[in-house]
Amino acid sequence: MEHQVQSRIHVLGLGSIGTFAAHALAEIPDHPPVTLLLHRESLVDAYFQNGSQIALKTSDGDTVRHGGYDLEVLRDGEWYHATTSAAAGSMATEPIQHLIISVKATQTVSALEPLRSRLTPASTILFLQNGCGMIDEVNTYLFPDASARPNYITGVISHGICFNRPFDITHTGFSATSLGMVPDQNKAIDDPSRSRPLLLRSLPLVSRLNATAYAYHDVLQIQLEKLAVNAFCNPLCALHDAKNGFLFTLPEMRRRILTEISHVACALPELKDVPGVAERFAFTRLENTVNAILEKTKESTCSMVWDLRAGRETEVLFINGYWSRRGRETGVPTPVNDTLVRQILERQAQQQL
C-alpha cells in the first residue's frame, strides 16, 4: 500500500526515548515512512557506520535491527535532506504532518525553533519527554497565536531504556506508554485537523511499545504521578550524588514533598471535575508508588545525578519547577519544591564554572 506524503513521521531527539520510539515506528504494520531529524553532522556518520539501522538489544539478549529511515540534518539553523554521510542534500522545507519530540525538556523550544515554519495547524506533535510544562513554553515562545498552533499529544513512557551509543539502545525493562490528545478550545471537535491522528491510531499497534491512548485528563494524571516520583528522587539524589536507594534514608523529606505535591495536584483546575483525584493523589498512595519504584530501582542512578556530574543543564525547572509554578497559580505554598529548585540551580551554576 502506497502512503501519501503527509503520512510521514519525523522524530526529533535521538536519545534513549527517541531512539526507542523510532525503532518502534518500524514495527507498525504497513508503517509510514520515518525521517530521523539529526541535530549534528556526526550523527549522520554514526547512522551509516551503524549499518543504516537502529539496533535494540532486548532484555533476553537478542538484538532487533530496523533500517529504512530517511535522514535530515541541521546545518546552520536549516534542515537538509541527508542521503549519504558525505553529500549535502536539498533543503527540507516541506510541511511536517506528524512529529515525535524526545529532546530534553530544557531544549524543547530551541529544538523546535528551526522547524516552526514547517509546522501548521494540521500538524500533530507528540511530546514524549520527561517533565511537565514543555507545551506551555512552546505556546509562549513559538506559537503565541492559538489559531496557528499544531495539535498536541502528551506522552508518558515508563519503559527502561539504556542508551549505549547513537542508534544503539538496550530495552532493560518492559512497561507501558500512555498517550493523550491535548484539548484545544480553539478547534471544534469536528475540525478535520482534530480527527484521531496517525500517531494515536498506529503506536498502540506496536506490542513492544505497549502504548494506550487515554482521555487527556487520564494521561495527565499518569504524567503527574511520574512527576511526583521524579520530584522526590531526582533533586535529592543529585544533591547527594547518590543512587536511588539512598532515598530510603529520607522518610521525613519524602513526607514533606509528597504532601506538598498532593495539595497542588488536588487544586489543579484541569482536574477539578475528574472523579477520584483526591484519592489518587493522596499522600499515602503517592508514598506507596514512590516506595515501589525505589525498591525496583535502588541500584539505579537517576538522570539529574549524571547531568550535575557532567556540568549539564538539568531538567529541574520542568520537574520541581513545574510543581512550584502550579502551586503559585493555585495558591498552594510549595516551599520544599522551591528550595530544591534553588539548590539544584545553584549547584548547576557551580558545576558549570
Side-chain angles (χ1 to χ4, degrees):
M1 173 180 174
E2 187 173 333
H3 290 275
Q4 297 178 351
V5 173
Q6 62 262 34
S7 293
R8 179 176 293 275
I9 300 172
H10 290 72
V11 182
L12 179 63
L14 275 300
S16 57
I17 294 175
T19 304
F20 184 63
H23 188 274
L25 292 174
E27 298 184 341
I28 297 170
D30 189 29
H31 66 84
V34 178
T35 295
L36 307 180
L37 297 167
L38 310 179
H39 67 282
R40 65 177 188 269
E41 297 276 357
S42 62
L43 289 174
V44 180
D45 296 328
Y47 178 75
F48 289 106
Q49 289 166 8
N50 207 51
S52 301
Q53 294 176 324
I54 291 176
L56 179 145
K57 295 180 179 67
T58 66
S59 55
D60 55 12
D62 295 332
T63 298
V64 181
R65 301 177 187 275
H66 292 310
Y69 300 97
D70 297 308
L71 306 180
E72 291 180 24
V73 62
L74 188 65
R75 294 188 178 117
D76 300 321
E78 302 286 352
W79 287 97
Y80 291 85
H81 297 286
T83 52
T84 71
S85 57
S90 59
M91 188 178 290
T93 58
E94 59 273 17
I96 290 176
Q97 195 73 7
H98 312 283
L99 174 66
I100 299 175
I101 180 166
S102 295
V103 301
K104 285 187 70 169
T106 53
Q107 299 165 352
T108 305
V109 170
S110 60
L112 283 175
E113 170 67 40
L115 294 172
R116 176 162 48 170
S117 63
R118 299 170 64 188
L119 295 165
T120 74
S123 305
T124 299
I125 304 175
L126 165 57
F127 293 82
L128 199 59
Q129 302 166 278
N130 292 320
C132 282
M134 294 78 75
I135 291 176
D136 296 332
E137 290 229 327
V138 167
N139 285 342
T140 298
Y141 294 105
L142 300 181
F143 299 106
D145 179 358
S147 65
R149 287 172 187 161
N151 303 286
Y152 300 141
I153 301 172
T154 288
V156 183
I157 192 160
S158 302
H159 292 270
I161 309 150
C162 177
F163 185 81
N164 303 319
R165 60 182 182 276
F167 313 106
D168 189 304
I169 55 174
T170 301
H171 192 186
T172 57
F174 181 82
S175 189
T177 305
S178 307
L179 309 169
M181 195 83 185
V182 178
D184 186 345
Q185 296 174 346
N186 295 284
K187 295 179 182 176
I189 200 71
D190 56 355
D191 185 325
S193 71
R194 292 291 290 176
S195 59
R196 194 171 177 83
L198 173 70
L199 292 171
L200 281 188
R201 298 195 311 270
S202 58
L203 290 179
L205 301 176
V206 181
S207 58
R208 195 187 312 279
L209 199 56
N210 191 24
T212 304
Y214 294 93
Y216 176 67
H217 62 75
D218 289 326
V219 78
L220 176 61
Q221 291 178 83
I222 294 169
Q223 186 177 35
L224 293 177
E225 284 175 327
K226 182 178 180 181
L227 194 70
V229 174
N230 285 336
F232 172 53
C233 298
N234 273 267
L236 289 162
C237 282
L239 290 170
H240 292 87
D241 195 35
K243 292 182 178 181
N244 287 358
F246 162 77
L247 297 168
F248 283 118
T249 68
L250 304 175
E252 176 59 21
M253 173 58 83
R254 181 177 59 221
R255 182 191 65 77
R256 290 173 57 210
I257 193 168
L258 294 181
T259 299
E260 189 172 286
I261 287 170
S262 172
H263 292 158
V264 175
C266 292
L268 293 177
E270 55 266 53
L271 296 177
K272 179 180 154 191
D273 298 319
V274 178
V277 170
E279 294 79 13
R280 185 165 184 168
F281 289 93
F283 163 71
T284 51
R285 192 174 184 281
L286 289 178
E287 184 179 46
N288 289 338
T289 300
V290 165
N291 288 345
I293 291 173
L294 289 183
E295 192 56 50
K296 286 182 187 174
T297 65
K298 57 189 175 186
E299 292 302 318
S300 299
T301 303
C302 64
S303 59
M304 201 175 288
V305 174
W306 295 111
D307 286 340
L308 267 195
R309 284 178 183 174
R312 292 190 296 261
E313 186 177 21
T314 72
E315 295 178 304
V316 70
L317 292 174
F318 295 88
I319 300 175
N320 304 84
Y322 179 84
W323 292 116
S324 292
R325 177 167 66 84
R326 300 312 304 272
R328 290 192 297 274
E329 292 172 5
T330 55
V332 177
T334 56
V336 181
N337 281 287
D338 298 347
T339 298
L340 288 172
V341 169
R342 187 182 69 253
Q343 290 175 333
I344 289 291
L345 291 179
E346 288 173 352
R347 186 72 63 84
Q348 191 177 291
Q350 291 168 2
Q351 294 289 98
Q352 292 172 345
L353 288 177

